[in-house]
Amino acid sequence: MRARAIDARRAAVLGKPIAHSLSPVLHRTAYEELGLVNWSYDRFEIDEAALSGFLAELGAEWAGLSLTMPLKRAVIPLLDEISETAASVEAVNTVVFTEDGRRVGDNTDIPGMVAALRERGIEQVDSAAILGAGATASSALAALARICTGEVVAYVRSEARAAEMRQWGERLDVEVRTADWADADRALHAPLVIATTPAGTTDALASAVPERPATLFDVLYDPWPTALAARWSMYGGAVVSGLDLLVHQAVLQVEQMTGRVPAPLDAMRKAGERALAAR
């Protein structure tokens, strides 16, 4: 059995690239607010090939890891257990090391999305639209499985991506219809629009924002605001940002790794905003 280290605890975020990550800012702020003076949180640039060796070298002082791309699926075979949430999208962004040395994986992106929407008063919608079809889009579908009572339309660039989104819909028990990206401006009339595409992809849609938009969840946070989010706000629509998602999923990670509840959401968000403003 692995003994718990009592002097210091460690955690970190892994991925490649990783220099841009705000996770150290958020987690260190949480430790400070919670009085965890012997906790540290670092970042390591690790790819799939190096992941197994990195995990093998970790000692008993390690409490947990945050994972970003390209490690969210690569880590699964290296774990002892994953949560139902992580299994539902085959993606792990959180690893917690238990007292007996087991590696347990979870996905806090999905409940983080739900929490970020709930914070803005979005408890349930009768339909939604997703822009994009990558890994984040599958997490968005899993979040919508919890709050959307009707159809989700996914706007994608290829039939292969469309097929993937329909498969995820079947797996997550979400009614998914796919549409061509050329018609993506139609998405902007949905009660909830979740933009999951890389920076710049939705800029051309800004001019199509309706006069009375509902809610936009744009998963980007740097640069911010995106052209779409800026126009959405200008027209009075509600906007949930990628920083909101990042903070809410980090709150859940801190709580799992430290056992301290609740994590300091407001302080973590303010620290993230300061860090972004300084870039």
Side-chain angles (χ1 to χ4, degrees):
M1 181 177 293
R2 156 173 155 169
R4 282 286 196 188
I6 60 173
D7 293 331
R9 303 306 311 277
R10 296 189 67 183
V13 60
L14 314 182
K16 185 175 183 178
I18 201 63
H20 68 287
S21 176
L22 284 180
S23 292
V25 171
L26 303 181
H27 285 252
R28 290 168 186 169
T29 297
Y31 299 163
E32 182 177 355
E33 292 288 321
L34 294 170
L36 300 175
V37 296
N38 292 324
W39 282 66
S40 63
Y41 189 99
D42 302 297
R43 61 164 65 91
F44 295 93
E45 185 159 297
I46 301 290
D47 61 14
E48 300 101 319
L51 182 59
S52 178
F54 182 89
L55 291 176
E57 294 297 319
L58 301 184
E61 74 277 12
W62 282 86
L65 298 169
S66 307
L67 301 175
T68 186
M69 299 304 292
L71 305 179
K72 292 184 179 183
R73 289 183 178 165
V75 74
I76 293 176
L78 306 176
L79 302 177
D80 298 298
E81 177 187 344
I82 65 172
S83 68
E84 289 185 10
T85 302
S88 72
V89 291
E90 298 179 358
V92 166
N93 77 327
T94 307
V95 177
V96 174
F97 302 109
T98 65
E99 291 190 7
D100 59 359
R102 299 175 73 249
R103 303 167 178 173
V104 180
D106 193 14
N107 186 308
T108 63
D109 285 332
I110 295 165
M113 282 186 176
V114 174
L117 286 165
R118 183 178 297 121
E119 186 180 35
R120 302 302 174 88
I122 309 299
E123 299 276 353
Q124 183 175 296
V125 292
D126 57 16
S127 63
I130 295 177
L131 299 174
T136 305
S138 62
S139 292
L141 268 182
L144 289 171
R146 304 183 181 192
I147 67 168
C148 184
T149 59
E151 182 183 68
V152 176
V153 183
Y155 290 83
V156 300
R157 292 187 181 278
S158 70
E159 178 51 38
R161 288 292 197 179
E164 287 178 9
M165 289 299 285
R166 290 192 293 266
Q167 289 171 2
W168 280 116
E170 292 177 6
R171 179 169 180 167
L172 295 164
D173 197 24
V174 178
E175 182 184 351
V176 175
R177 177 167 63 87
T178 55
D180 192 274
W181 183 263
D183 297 321
D185 56 333
R186 297 179 183 176
L188 309 185
H189 296 272
L192 172 62
V193 182
I194 304 181
T196 69
T197 52
T201 306
T202 62
D203 287 359
L205 296 176
S207 61
V209 173
E211 290 186 4
R212 295 183 179 179
T215 300
L216 171 68
F217 193 156
D218 195 325
V219 303
L220 296 173
Y221 62 84
D222 187 15
W224 186 262
T226 63
L228 181 61
R231 179 66 65 92
W232 202 277
S233 294
M234 185 176 75
Y235 281 14
V239 175
V240 184
S241 75
L243 180 60
D244 294 320
L245 168 59
L246 188 66
V247 171
H248 276 283
Q249 65 83 27
V251 160
L252 296 170
Q253 289 184 334
V254 168
E255 292 175 351
Q256 288 189 29
M257 293 179 194
T258 68
R260 300 286 293 274
V261 178
L265 171 67
D266 290 341
M268 293 168 70
R269 177 183 278 119
K270 289 176 182 176
E273 290 171 345
R274 288 193 299 269
L276 286 176
R279 291 185 175 181

